[in-house]
């Protein structure tokens, strides 16, 4: 089947279902894994330990310096600790000593140099975790300390974006600038001269920890043929297989990766399993026994990627009537000791760097820079929450300078159908551009204008404010890689259905959305389906479970597979029901003719007949997105297939005597094309808000000047609890994306993007202080309030 045929099928299904009643899609139906999870029957990676005997434990010996040369590693005492089976160093790696995701810059085991406090210099393989921990203290490393850099502005000058002289962290590369992405559109010098109002500010956002409930884990098991099976908490089983095979020096068909239920991911389990899985597999390779690598919470804090901290300078210029004429920005993203997905994060941040607005002129420079901090990589939003914080704060400050309501300024400049993005991409009606509807919906829900007036003059110590922020988020991965997905649908002889995909379930519920799509098209209830956990030996490679692509890309692959099966079975049923295939209605357990319902047969009979006649009951669905277009010198093209749009309003209370901020109410509206799984969509909106609230008010991984992490557990790193969660109103706009499954777009990542700036804008409205840095901790808010008092 050609790519054109995939697109034709998706559009045909869109035309059939968009705007029409559905049976399963858009309905609240109990998800396939809910009962297993709430009853404790669902198996997560560490639960598989009980299924194996003679399991060995893998303990990581980590560096004591954040930046140093390794002169020598002595493991002679460690190997003699009772219970220790083997001590592994870089020289023991049979394949390639690298687990880097985008570029090969991250060794599994450090051999020449350490670059951050989480680098591993040796692995202890032992009978139990206690002897492993004891042996770790007896691994002696001779280091030559080097200068430690924890601030990207020590590496690059923010205003000139030129690299400074320093002791290189990655001397093998000749530069500590990992990526430089830019936009050059229009005549920005002329626009600046002709502008009536100019606002410029410097912004900072923090390093954020994913804080998923299940720390990283991998269990490796030897196979009789010399292969190794790795059960791992991973979002990307096929990428993990490739990385593990490379470390072991094995072909990929000798490495099998199984992704069971995952206790949260948020992007953090995209690349860390390259390391964790390889550690467990390496131990199995040498011992021939099952091996478990299981991080403690403290290890998790220093052993996996984080959200990139951002330092940015922004300048906006506008006419006195409010039309934006120019956006300029220098953006520094701290990617830490290793690139991870830093180059891709920098690219996505750049694509979205002017916000969802019509901007005729722009100069944007985004640099991802190495430092000696914990490395940063994928995190829900993928660079977008950082730049949106700066852009949406700029919009509020610009509105104040223009004496305009923040909503009115935004409505004057937002993208609508028929507009072109800053990159020159035409947003047609078929893309589904419902941003204005989102804005008007949250304004209505929040009673915006009345509350802006009500909160304008307050004399009490606890002041209230209301703020808005808009967002856009490109669906799927754009130019970051091959953008494809696939599923397998197998109809069993008893009429039940087995559903397979390489996309993973980490609590986001998107696989249930795929089942609802298949059920809708086939006419078979979701209760007939069984979803198998991803297994690289049986599931098709579906690409990574990232970038809000599961519903869009996996959904389209599901549409293709279900469409082909439905067509085949309708033709078969029509032949013995004596009616045209287009007249056949499948409503399992019944199949009948629409024009004459008395012509009826049971679903299982159709399946049985197919087996006897040799009609295939299995179908492979594949879908590849249209190729993204990006011109590196100008930042123009068509970077994404479509965009999710949204608006968030937050209401806060601020205690001006202590600096404490509470979010009291929130209102969200997202244009996601079509709601496939309403329960999952609502939970995404709520969960994204709460996680974004933590980013805005309390979360920050803090490093010492030596590069150590101060707050490396959940007693010192604060995340929101149920007591912090406000009332959250959720609304959806169904604009319909013609190349989405039944019109759907993604929501997983977009639901966090606009939260922090909406809260910051509300706090600024309440206090009169223009905050440019998050998190808005009581200390930070109090200090800024005191500064304002002194100025007044």
């Amino acid at each position: 089947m050609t790519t054109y045929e995939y697109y034709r099928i998706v559009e045909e299904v869109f035309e059939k279902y968009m705007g029409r009643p559905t049976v399963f899609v858009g309905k609240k139906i109990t998800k396939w894994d809910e009962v297993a999870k709430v009853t404790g029957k669902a198996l997560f990676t560490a639960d598989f330990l009980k299924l194996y005997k003679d399991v060995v434990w893998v303990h990581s010996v980590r560096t004591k310096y954040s930046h140093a040369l390794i002169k020598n590693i002595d493991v002679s005492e460690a190997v003699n600790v009772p219970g220790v089976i083997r001590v592994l160093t870089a020289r023991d790696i049979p394949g390639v000593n690298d687990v880097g995701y985008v570029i090969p810059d991250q060794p599994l085991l450090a051999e020449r140099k350490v670059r951050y406090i989480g680098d591993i210099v040796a692995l202890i393989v032992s009978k139990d975790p206690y002897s492993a921990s004891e042996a770790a203290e007896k691994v002696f490393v001779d280091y030559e300390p080097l200068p430690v850099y924890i601030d990207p502005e020590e590496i690059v000058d923010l205003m000139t974006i030129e690299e400074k002289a320093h002791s290189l962290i990655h001397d093998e590369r000749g530069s500590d600038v990992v990526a430089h992405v830019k936009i050059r559109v229009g005549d920005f010098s002329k626009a600046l001269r002709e502008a009536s109002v100019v606002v410029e500010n410097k912004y900072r956002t923090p390093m954020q920890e994913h804080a998923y409930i299940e720390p990283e884990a991998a269990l490796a098991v030897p196979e009789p043929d010399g292969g190794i099976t790795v059960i791992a908490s991973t979002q990307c089983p096929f990428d993990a297989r490739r990385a593990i095979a490379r470390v072991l020096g094995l072909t990929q068909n000798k490495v099998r990766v199984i992704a069971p239920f995952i206790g949260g991911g948020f992007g953090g389990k995209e690349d860390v399993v390259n390391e964790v899985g390889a550690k467990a597999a390496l131990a199995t390779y040498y011992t021939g026994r099952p091996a478990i690598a299981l991080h403690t919470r403290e290890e998790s804090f220093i052993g996996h990627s984080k959200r990139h901290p951002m330092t940015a300078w922004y300048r906006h210029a506008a006419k006195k009537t409010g039309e934006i004429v120019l956006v300029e920005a220098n953006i520094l993203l701290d990617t830490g000791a290793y690139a991870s997905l830093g180059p891709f994060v920098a690219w996505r941040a750049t694509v979205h760097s002017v916000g969802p607005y019509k901007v005729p002129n722009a100069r944007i420079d985004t640099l991802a820079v190495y430092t000696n901090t914990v490395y940063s990589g994928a995190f829900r939003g993928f660079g977008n929450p950082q730049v949106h914080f700066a852009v949406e704060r700029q919009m509020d400050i610009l509105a104040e300078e223009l004496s305009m309501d923040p909503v009115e300024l935004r409505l004057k400049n937002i993208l609508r159908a028929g507009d072109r993005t800053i990159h020159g991409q035409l947003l047609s009606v078929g893309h589904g551009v419902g941003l204005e509807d989102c804005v008007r919906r949250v304004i209505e829900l929040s009673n915006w204008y009345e509350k802006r007036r009500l909160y304008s003059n307050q004399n009490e110590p606890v002041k209230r404010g209301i703020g808005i922020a808009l967002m856009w988020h490109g669906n799927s991965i754009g130019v970051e890689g091959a953008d494809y997905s696939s599923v397998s649908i197998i109809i069993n002889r008893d009429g039940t259905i087995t559903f397979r995909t390489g996309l993973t379930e980490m609590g986001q519920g998107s696989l249930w959305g795929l089942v609802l799509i298949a059920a809708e098209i086939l006419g078979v209830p979701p209760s007939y389906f069984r979803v198998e956990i991803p297994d690289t030996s049986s599931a098709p490679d579906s690409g990574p479970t990232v970038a809000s692509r599961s519903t869009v890309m996996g959904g389209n692959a599901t549409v293709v597979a279900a469409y082909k099966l439905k067509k085949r079975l309708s033709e078969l049923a029509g032949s013995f029901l004596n009616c045209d295939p287009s007249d056949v209605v499948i409503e399992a357990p019944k199949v009948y003719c629409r024009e004459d319902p008395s012509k009826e047969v049971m679903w299982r009979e159709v399946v049985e007949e197919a087996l006897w006649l040799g009609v295939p009951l299995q179908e492979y669905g594949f879908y590849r997105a249209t190729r993204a277009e990006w011109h590196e010198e100008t930042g123009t093209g068509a970077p994404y297939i479509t965009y999710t749009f949204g608006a968030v309003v937050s209401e806060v209370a601020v205690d001006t005597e202590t600096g404490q901020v509470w979010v009291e109410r929130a209102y969200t509206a997202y244009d996601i094309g079509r709601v496939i799984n309403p329960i999952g969509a609502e939970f995404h909106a709520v969960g994204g808000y709460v996680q974004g609230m933590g980013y805005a008010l309390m979360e920050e991984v803090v490093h010492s000047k030596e590069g150590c992490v101060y707050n490396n557990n959940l007693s010192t790193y604060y995340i929101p609890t149920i007591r912090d969660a406000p009332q959250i109103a959720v609304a959806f706009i169904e604009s319909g994306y013609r190349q989405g499954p039944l019109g759907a777009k993604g929501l997983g990542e977009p639901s966090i993007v606009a939260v922090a700036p909406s809260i910051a804008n509300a706090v600024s409205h309440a206090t009169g202080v223009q905050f440019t840095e998050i998190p808005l901790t009581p200390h930070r808010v109090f200090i800024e309030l005191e500064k304002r008092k002194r100025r007044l």
Side-chain angles (χ1 to χ4, degrees), residues 441-442 445 647-649 666-670 685-686 689 728-732 755:
R441 188 75 179 106
V442 294
L445 287 170
V648 177
V649 168
Y667 313 86
T668 71
Y670 294 103
V686 171
Y689 189 93
I728 304 173
V730 178
F732 295 107
V755 177

Side-chain angles (χ1 to χ4, degrees), residues 173-487:
R173 289 175 50 84
S175 172
D176 281 335
V177 175
V178 184
H180 182 186
V181 190
K182 55 191 176 183
I183 292 176
R184 299 288 188 275
V185 172
D187 188 338
F188 32 91
S189 297
K190 180 182 178 184
L192 188 61
R193 290 194 302 270
E194 296 177 353
S196 301
V197 178
V198 177
V199 296
E200 59 180 275
N201 290 286
K202 182 177 180 179
Y203 295 93
R204 289 184 183 275
T205 61
M207 175 180 285
Q208 186 182 18
E209 157 68 18
H210 300 79
Y212 27 65
I213 195 168
E214 176 203 28
E216 301 76 16
L219 174 66
V221 181
E223 297 293 348
D225 65 352
I228 292 177
T229 292
V230 178
I231 302 168
S233 184
T234 175
Q235 296 177 223
C236 312
F238 286 88
D239 289 344
R241 180 181 68 172
R242 183 173 64 247
I244 294 167
R246 194 161 175 258
V247 168
L248 298 179
L250 298 177
T251 56
Q252 291 183 29
N253 62 355
K254 286 284 187 135
V255 176
R256 175 188 180 194
V257 174
I258 298 172
F261 289 115
I262 301 170
F266 312 115
K269 291 178 180 174
E270 186 169 342
D271 63 340
V272 69
V273 80
N274 291 5
E275 173 205 311
V276 183
K279 289 190 298 188
L282 194 61
T284 294
Y285 179 92
Y286 277 107
T287 65
R289 292 165 62 176
I292 181 77
L294 181 63
H295 280 182
T296 63
R297 181 62 66 182
E298 288 76 12
E299 276 191 294
S300 182
F301 263 83
I302 65 171
H304 80 265
S305 63
K306 304 289 181 282
R307 185 183 301 286
H308 285 77
M310 179 198 75
T311 304
W313 169 84
Y314 262 84
R315 176 157 62 189
H316 278 60
K319 297 178 181 179
K320 62 182 178 181
T321 50
E323 291 89 350
I324 298 170
V325 296
L326 168 70
V327 176
E328 286 188 280
N330 295 339
I331 302 165
L332 292 186
L333 295 173
D334 179 359
T335 204
Y338 298 107
S340 182
L341 285 100
F344 294 163
V345 173
W347 181 76
R348 184 179 280 267
T350 306
V351 170
H352 298 88
S353 59
V354 304
Y357 303 107
K358 294 174 286 187
V359 177
N361 306 282
R363 181 205 57 80
I364 310 293
D365 286 279
T366 304
L367 278 69
V369 178
Y370 288 123
T371 63
N372 295 120
T373 61
V374 176
Y375 66 97
S376 293
F379 196 138
R380 190 183 206 168
F382 211 73
N384 222 354
Q386 294 95 312
V387 294
H388 272 75
F389 173 72
V391 169
E392 291 301 300
R393 286 297 297 122
Q394 285 284 97
M395 291 298 287
D396 260 38
I397 295 169
L398 185 61
E400 184 171 301
E401 289 292 319
L402 291 164
S403 299
M404 292 182 67
D405 183 274
V407 167
E408 298 309 312
L409 177 64
R410 287 171 169 85
L411 287 174
K412 187 177 283 287
N413 290 282
I414 59 171
L415 291 167
R416 296 176 171 88
D419 289 334
R420 291 188 180 273
T421 68
I422 184 62
H423 331 96
Q425 182 176 7
L426 177 65
L427 297 178
S428 67
V429 173
H431 280 94
V433 188
L435 180 55
E436 183 173 359
D437 291 337
C438 290
V439 175
R440 298 197 182 282
R441 188 75 179 106
V442 294
I443 294 311
E444 176 190 4
L445 287 170
S446 65
N447 194 14
W448 169 269
Y449 295 108
E450 175 61 23
K451 287 179 180 174
R452 286 291 288 193
R453 184 194 63 77
L454 185 65
Y455 298 155
S456 293
N457 296 298
Q458 303 175 80
N459 298 315
E460 300 81 4
V462 176
K463 299 182 184 298
R464 285 173 168 77
I466 186 169
I468 189 170
L470 311 188
M471 56 73 58
W472 64 329
H473 192 87
N475 283 205
S476 208
I477 58 178
V479 300
E480 298 165 25
D483 206 352
Y484 63 88
S485 198
S486 56
V487 305

Side-chain angles (χ1 to χ4, degrees), residues 666-706:
Y667 313 86
T668 71
Y670 294 103
D671 166 22
I672 59 173
R674 181 173 194 149
V675 178
I676 300 294
N677 174 10
I679 297 175
E682 184 175 339
F683 285 170
H684 267 301
V686 171
Y689 189 93
V690 173
Q691 194 171 47
M693 183 180 69
Y695 185 51
L697 297 181
M698 62 188 74
E699 296 188 45
E700 181 174 19
V701 176
V702 181
H703 289 77
S704 70
K705 64 180 181 180
E706 295 80 22

Side-chain angles (χ1 to χ4, degrees), residues 485-506:
S485 198
S486 56
V487 305
S488 291
I489 300 177
I490 303 165
I491 302 176
N492 304 304
R493 193 163 188 167
D494 62 357
T496 61
I497 297 174
T498 300
F499 188 89
R500 292 174 179 166
T501 180
L503 298 168
T504 59
E505 172 56 50
M506 50 186 158

Side-chain angles (χ1 to χ4, degrees), residues 454-655:
L454 185 65
Y455 298 155
S456 293
N457 296 298
Q458 303 175 80
N459 298 315
E460 300 81 4
V462 176
K463 299 182 184 298
R464 285 173 168 77
I466 186 169
I468 189 170
L470 311 188
M471 56 73 58
W472 64 329
H473 192 87
N475 283 205
S476 208
I477 58 178
V479 300
E480 298 165 25
D483 206 352
Y484 63 88
S485 198
S486 56
V487 305
S488 291
I489 300 177
I490 303 165
I491 302 176
N492 304 304
R493 193 163 188 167
D494 62 357
T496 61
I497 297 174
T498 300
F499 188 89
R500 292 174 179 166
T501 180
L503 298 168
T504 59
E505 172 56 50
M506 50 186 158
Q508 83 280 31
S510 56
L511 298 192
W512 188 238
L514 307 191
V515 168
L516 295 179
I517 290 168
E520 189 70 44
I521 294 172
L522 287 172
V524 179
S527 59
Y528 282 47
F529 285 73
R530 179 178 185 270
V531 180
E532 293 191 349
I533 61 174
D535 182 336
T536 58
S537 68
S538 58
D541 185 349
S542 310
T545 312
V546 301
S548 298
R549 65 188 301 276
S550 295
T551 296
V552 177
M553 299 301 296
N556 277 342
T558 302
V559 167
V560 171
Y563 175 94
K564 291 192 286 184
L565 275 172
K566 175 69 174 292
K567 185 173 186 293
R568 194 180 302 151
L569 292 174
S570 293
E571 290 172 351
L572 174 63
S575 67
F576 57 79
L577 285 175
N578 240 355
C579 64
D580 190 271
S582 63
D583 193 37
V584 171
V585 177
I586 300 177
E587 287 182 358
K590 297 186 299 182
V591 180
Y592 59 90
C593 295
R594 181 177 290 103
E595 295 300 319
D596 185 359
S598 65
K599 294 180 178 180
E600 179 186 301
V601 67
M602 300 306 291
W603 163 251
R604 287 185 62 172
E605 293 178 66
V606 176
V607 172
E608 186 69 21
E609 189 71 13
L611 285 167
W612 281 101
L613 295 177
V615 176
L617 290 170
Q618 307 83 28
E619 194 55 72
Y620 171 72
F622 180 84
Y623 185 85
R624 193 200 191 287
T626 53
R627 291 187 180 276
E629 179 187 347
W630 183 257
H631 304 289
E632 290 187 0
E633 290 305 309
T634 60
T636 55
Y640 290 104
I641 53 176
T642 193
Y643 300 86
T644 295
F645 297 95
V648 177
V649 168
S650 296
E651 287 188 59
V652 303
V654 184
D655 187 333

